[in-house]
Amino acid sequence: MGLPRKIRSYFVIQGPRSIYVYSLLIGLFSGFGAYGFNFVLAFAESFTFSTLFGYEPGVAAGDAFFVFPFTIESISYFWLFFLPIFGGLLSGLIIYFFCPEAAGGGTDALIESFHYNEGKIPARLPFFKALATVITLGSGGSGGKEGPTAQIGAGFGSTLGSMLGVGARARRTLMLAGTAGGLGAIFRAPLGGAITAVEMVYKEDIESDSLVPCILSSVTAYLTYSALAGNGSIFAVGKYSLNDYRHIPFYIALGLLCFAVGYLFVHTYHFVKDTFSAWPIPNYIKPAIGGVVVGSIAVFFPEILGSGFGFLQRMVNGEELQSHHFSLTGPIFFLSVALLKIVSTSFTVGSGSSAGLLGPSFFIGGMLGGFVGSVAQILFPTLSIQIFPFMLVGMGSFFAGVARAPIAGMVMVCDMIGSYELLPPLMIVAVIAAILSNKISIYKHQVLNRFQSPSHHWDMNQDIMDRILIRKHFSEYRQYAIVSVSTPLTELQITAPGIQASDFILIGQEKEYKGIISLRKNRILPEYEELLAKLITCEEIMQDVPPVFPEDTLGKALRILLQYDVDKVAITEKDSPVCLGYLRYIDLFHAYQSEIKMYSRKNETV
């Protein structure tokens, strides 16, 4: 999809200034999109929870504009058990038949698109993501609303880039700018949205090239959203500053607790998600099964419904909260809700429904902060400890740990409360949680740093790449993703997930190299698998990709990978077509980094 060449020439991106102008446009669209989505979602939640079931979850101060009173009589509270099941089924049907990409949290899909798909997002995705999320959260699902708003902005940025015919690098930047706009608007966090967008794609790095466009988009989206929904931050909080240093040990304890519970959250979510993915039943049924678990919890603990921001606002207001049914209060109540939120969110998002993970991360962290603060109050009543600062610090720190985004966690919470008074304790706790969580992440497609991202292949010094011989770093090569050219395509599709590969090296009967087949580009839809079983072999649709020799350089191998859009390159001898194996992107990166380190050590000793 794109504009005619003559028209497109008037709008072509000719440098950073053009990117900045389009980032403002993307922010404007993201602000409108976030407002429209929040309006519809608030309407659905007000009708469902307040009117049908008589449960008042509260409302965050920044969302007070979205309150819709209804006057019909409430139905039995225990019907809440069935609502997530019905909502899960309806959401599953929409996702299955109209937009399979809308399943899950959304943010991880954006990270994957950034690294592996040149920032391309299907144009239909933002609409169906928003629709499915409204149904999921409006029917009692446990999740956040940042996923669709981020994808609304990211989808517009990606589509705009495709219409203008820009390259992959510019499209990635426009996509991240849209992501920042969606986050900045929905959380009323102009700086936090930008920092989150550039930090979430890596575990130990930031996408600094996109920082300015993300800031421009996020601020524009925030101003647009505020003009429509009123000014103010998401949470209205009282003044607080860390002026009693006897509180610091409790904040340190909170950092340790955020790591421990974050570890549990990450592994629970991925376990549930992987279990549902491997379950051989139709995908549209899976969210309904997840809804059974969510409904069972919600009947007894409705506090886990939605993102829980209204409940957090009630905590900030200083209300003496207790569970809706069991009169639980204090530390036991806060810890129970945090753990149940982990389960409900894992079964909502992990089963294939559409909702975000960022909102629940803030909620869980807030409950952990409430737990530590209330325990400290009980044990040390003379220290004048307030609970709400621990709650807010826990929000940012828990997200910093599970998302490997310490800066984003700090800045986002400060933006959400409209104050930087809590920054010192936030820095302490977020850094503790992030350092301890260095081996976990809620986002599977995060890569370690820029060197390991396909989006920055050309950032490597090509002169060095062209000096490094393959045989210098590799004496043997990978063998797993090698198949015969006579393999049926349907058979390869079935075995591919077990090998965890999308591109395969094809060999003949004498193990001679033939070419490469990419399942990212060639795939038989499930409904046609039986009809076309064994009719199409890999040889018929293979891609003619030249091999490299051990005497060739890493630079040549990298150019082949980029030119032919494959993720591995075959290795053969110069005088023989027999395939010795293959190398992947990551192998080239590791060899490059090893060479750089070796030169650095040599220079240090000179």
Side-chain angles (χ1 to χ4, degrees), residues 324-597:
H324 194 74
H325 287 298
F326 302 106
S327 299
L328 295 177
T329 59
I332 296 177
F333 173 54
F334 293 132
L335 186 60
S336 299
V337 173
L339 297 177
L340 291 173
K341 187 70 173 179
I342 290 175
V343 177
S344 60
T345 301
S346 298
F347 276 89
T348 296
V349 184
S351 65
S353 284
S354 175
L357 293 170
L358 179 53
S361 297
F362 284 140
F363 182 85
I364 295 168
M367 293 300 105
L368 296 179
F371 169 77
V372 172
S374 57
V375 168
Q377 275 188 341
I378 294 171
L379 296 179
F380 302 94
T382 61
L383 293 183
S384 302
I385 292 174
Q386 295 176 279
I387 291 179
F388 83 83
F390 285 89
M391 183 206 80
L392 295 169
V393 169
M395 287 170 55
S397 303
F398 187 82
F399 171 70
V402 299
R404 301 293 298 277
I407 301 175
M410 296 181 235
V411 177
M412 182 69 84
V413 169
C414 290
D415 272 359
M416 290 167 67
I417 64 176
S419 169
Y420 281 78
E421 292 291 337
L422 285 174
L423 187 56
L426 262 169
M427 293 172 67
I428 296 172
V429 185
V431 168
I432 291 173
I435 291 175
L436 294 176
S437 304
N438 66 328
K439 293 184 179 181
I440 64 172
S441 176
I442 201 71
Y443 303 127
K444 275 193 170 181
H445 289 100
Q446 279 182 329
V447 299
L448 188 64
N449 52 42
R450 295 157 68 98
F451 281 112
Q452 296 190 9
S453 170
S455 64
H456 285 283
H457 287 160
W458 290 109
D459 286 359
M460 293 189 292
N461 189 313
Q462 198 64 39
D463 291 337
I464 294 178
M465 294 287 286
D466 284 331
R467 291 201 302 264
I468 306 174
L469 298 182
I470 291 174
R471 60 178 169 79
K472 178 180 179 181
H473 284 273
F474 302 99
S475 58
E476 55 184 30
Y477 309 98
R478 297 182 182 271
Q479 304 285 335
Y480 296 108
I482 299 178
V483 297
S484 170
V485 291
S486 60
T487 303
L489 181 57
T490 52
E491 180 180 322
L492 185 61
Q493 289 183 185
I494 294 172
T495 57
I499 303 175
Q500 294 185 337
S502 59
D503 294 359
F504 289 82
I505 305 294
L506 299 180
I507 59 174
Q509 292 183 350
E510 304 297 327
K511 295 187 178 180
E512 70 276 16
Y513 171 66
K514 293 291 187 180
I516 291 180
I517 182 171
S518 174
L519 295 183
R520 295 178 289 113
K521 308 170 188 175
N522 304 281
R523 180 174 288 276
I524 298 175
L525 296 176
E527 55 265 34
Y528 300 114
E529 283 186 356
E530 291 188 12
L531 185 64
L532 300 177
K534 299 185 178 181
L535 291 181
I536 301 177
T537 64
C538 294
E539 185 175 19
E540 297 177 71
I541 53 176
M542 74 177 182
Q543 189 176 355
D544 188 15
V545 180
V548 293
F549 313 127
E551 296 77 16
D552 286 329
T553 65
L554 297 185
K556 180 179 179 180
L558 180 60
R559 284 190 287 272
I560 289 175
L561 293 174
L562 295 173
Q563 179 181 348
Y564 293 91
D565 188 25
V566 291
D567 63 18
K568 48 183 64 73
V569 60
I571 311 294
T572 68
E573 296 286 1
K574 267 191 176 181
D575 55 355
S576 171
V578 174
C579 181
L580 302 176
Y582 62 87
L583 293 175
R584 304 181 305 168
Y585 279 124
I586 194 68
D587 301 319
L588 304 184
F589 297 156
H590 286 164
Y592 174 81
Q593 288 179 305
S594 297
E595 195 78 9
I596 293 295
K597 291 177 181 178

Side-chain angles (χ1 to χ4, degrees), residues 1 3 61 63 67 86 101 120 133 137 161 232 251 260 298 343 357 360 366 405 440 448 471 553 564 592:
M1 180 180 64
L3 296 171
D63 285 339
V67 176
F86 172 76
E101 300 91 345
K120 295 177 182 177
T133 303
L137 299 182
Y251 283 112
V343 177
L357 293 170
I440 64 172
L448 188 64
R471 60 178 169 79
T553 65
Y564 293 91
Y592 174 81

Side-chain angles (χ1 to χ4, degrees), residues 39-54:
F39 184 92
V40 176
L41 177 60
F43 185 92
E45 289 184 328
S46 295
F47 178 78
T48 301
F49 305 142
S50 301
T51 304
L52 289 184
F53 301 109

Side-chain angles (χ1 to χ4, degrees), residues 151 158 191 261 289 407 456 513:
Q151 287 196 330
S158 175
L191 182 57
V261 179
I289 296 175
I407 301 175
H456 285 283
Y513 171 66

Side-chain angles (χ1 to χ4, degrees), residues 77-381:
Y77 185 81
F78 286 96
W79 280 99
L80 184 57
F81 169 77
F82 297 99
L83 189 63
I85 302 174
F86 172 76
L89 179 61
L90 183 56
S91 175
L93 288 169
I94 291 173
I95 292 170
Y96 182 82
F97 287 105
F98 296 102
C99 188
E101 300 91 345
T107 303
D108 202 29
L110 295 179
I111 297 173
E112 180 183 19
S113 177
F114 177 85
H115 291 305
Y116 304 108
N117 197 30
E118 299 181 348
K120 295 177 182 177
I121 296 176
R124 70 183 187 279
L125 176 58
F127 171 77
F128 285 107
K129 182 70 178 178
L131 177 61
T133 303
V134 167
I135 294 171
T136 298
L137 299 182
S139 62
S142 174
K145 53 189 178 182
E146 74 286 343
T149 54
Q151 287 196 330
I152 287 172
F156 180 71
S158 175
T159 302
L160 178 64
S162 298
M163 292 175 62
L164 297 174
V166 302
R169 186 171 183 174
R171 188 190 298 108
R172 288 186 177 100
T173 296
L174 295 177
M175 187 205 78
L176 282 187
T179 302
L183 295 174
I186 202 67
F187 289 125
R188 294 179 179 259
L191 182 57
I195 298 298
T196 302
V198 298
E199 191 176 21
M200 70 182 185
V201 293
Y202 301 113
K203 294 178 180 178
E204 296 180 0
D205 207 343
I206 65 169
E207 184 59 23
S208 56
D209 296 352
S210 301
L211 181 57
V212 173
C214 285
I215 290 175
L216 292 173
S217 175
S218 184
V219 170
T220 304
Y222 164 77
L223 294 175
T224 303
Y225 185 91
S226 297
L228 297 171
N231 295 319
S233 55
I234 280 289
F235 297 110
V237 302
K239 289 187 177 181
Y240 173 82
S241 61
L242 183 61
N243 50 23
D244 190 337
Y245 295 101
R246 292 177 296 176
H247 297 178
I248 290 179
F250 303 115
Y251 283 112
I252 294 175
L254 176 57
L256 298 175
L257 182 63
C258 283
F259 157 67
V261 179
Y263 183 92
L264 176 65
F265 178 39
V266 169
H267 284 80
T268 300
Y269 169 71
H270 288 313
F271 173 78
V272 172
K273 186 175 184 295
D274 293 342
T275 300
F276 272 97
S277 297
W279 204 353
I281 61 174
N283 285 340
Y284 57 83
I285 297 178
K286 294 176 182 179
I289 296 175
V292 173
V293 177
V294 176
S296 301
I297 297 173
V299 167
F300 301 103
F301 284 89
E303 294 84 3
I304 57 94
L305 296 170
S307 65
F309 276 24
F311 191 77
L312 292 175
Q313 180 65 66
R314 293 171 61 190
M315 289 180 62
V316 171
N317 294 342
E319 293 185 31
E320 293 291 334
L321 297 175
Q322 64 179 25
S323 62
H324 194 74
H325 287 298
F326 302 106
S327 299
L328 295 177
T329 59
I332 296 177
F333 173 54
F334 293 132
L335 186 60
S336 299
V337 173
L339 297 177
L340 291 173
K341 187 70 173 179
I342 290 175
V343 177
S344 60
T345 301
S346 298
F347 276 89
T348 296
V349 184
S351 65
S353 284
S354 175
L357 293 170
L358 179 53
S361 297
F362 284 140
F363 182 85
I364 295 168
M367 293 300 105
L368 296 179
F371 169 77
V372 172
S374 57
V375 168
Q377 275 188 341
I378 294 171
L379 296 179
F380 302 94

